[in-house]
Amino acid sequence: MLVSGIGADPDSKSAYIHARGRGEEVVRQAFPNATIVRPSAMFGPGDALFGTLAEIARRLPVMPLIGGGRTRVQPVFVENVAEAIARVIASDAAAAQIYELAGPKVYTMRELTEFVLVTVDRRRLLLTIPFRLAMAQARLFELLPNPPLTAGQVELLEEDNVASAKRPGLRELGIEPASIEEIVPSYIGQARSS
């Protein structure tokens, strides 16, 4: 079994998405019956999605929206992904399948940012950053020891991260996907007291 990611594509200009797509090809060549699991952007305590947005909301007077926040994302709860992997491993019927694991709803990055602001009880100006400007900033930030934004992250935001209707997912594995509204406030809502 291989854990990849939604949108994996060996022809992508994004090094990250290309590597995932290429990895799938290599695994399938070596192990034709391998099962591939493609989760969307995962969320849960300590995540890089909602945790990062909450941190920005606490520290900055504005919330940057790269590409205007139009990128569509279908976040999936990390525990749903873990359960799916366990079920795939235990199932002979999962051999040679590709599963796309995503949450129950598609959001834009703008909607996710607005959700975080409400959850952490902050008001911030939403500032559109065009992709070209974000890429230039990311290349400068990459000169820092711990860059707050990388070129790879900007490239990821240029593509939607949404499950296709063509592949089985959580529901086909008997898992009801948890929503961000159920889970995220439990771990970023603590920012209200800071």
Side-chain angles (χ1 to χ4, degrees):
M1 187 186 72
L2 172 70
V3 178
S4 182
I6 286 180
D9 180 359
D11 298 322
S12 174
K13 68 176 184 140
S14 162
Y16 181 78
I17 295 171
H18 167 80
R20 286 198 170 213
R22 190 68 192 110
E24 287 186 12
E25 287 181 340
V26 169
V27 166
R28 276 293 165 90
Q29 287 169 359
F31 306 99
N33 286 327
T35 302
I36 297 173
V37 175
R38 294 177 176 165
S40 184
M42 290 187 273
F43 67 89
D47 70 40
L49 176 57
F50 293 103
T52 300
L53 288 173
E55 191 65 23
I56 292 169
R58 284 192 289 265
R59 294 179 181 259
L60 298 179
V62 299
M63 294 294 289
L65 293 175
I66 296 174
R70 289 184 299 277
T71 306
R72 296 175 338 127
V73 185
Q74 196 171 0
V76 62
F77 185 37
V78 67
E79 290 185 21
N80 289 157
V81 173
E83 178 64 24
I85 290 170
R87 290 183 186 193
V88 163
I89 290 170
S91 171
D92 291 335
Q97 293 285 332
I98 297 176
Y99 290 89
E100 291 189 341
L101 309 180
K105 187 173 173 189
V106 176
Y107 305 84
T108 64
M109 284 303 297
R110 174 181 285 273
E111 290 169 332
L112 293 180
T113 300
E114 290 168 345
F115 167 75
V116 167
L117 288 171
V118 168
T119 304
V120 300
D121 195 24
R122 296 290 196 277
R123 292 181 141 192
R124 298 292 184 256
L125 174 68
L126 300 179
L127 179 65
T128 294
I129 310 287
F131 283 114
R132 281 185 151 176
L133 178 58
M135 185 60 78
Q137 289 173 328
R139 295 210 189 282
L140 287 174
F141 288 149
E142 286 177 337
L143 299 173
L144 300 173
N146 294 313
L149 181 68
T150 67
Q153 290 168 325
V154 173
E155 288 176 345
L156 287 175
L157 287 171
E158 290 180 317
E159 300 287 333
D160 290 339
N161 193 271
V162 176
S164 70
K166 301 174 191 171
R167 306 269 183 206
L170 292 172
R171 287 192 173 96
E172 287 78 11
L173 291 167
I175 300 168
E176 186 63 33
S179 71
I180 65 169
E181 292 82 4
E182 294 173 71
I183 306 295
V184 173
S186 70
Y187 65 93
I188 68 165
Q190 295 118 356
R192 290 175 193 255
S193 61
S194 62

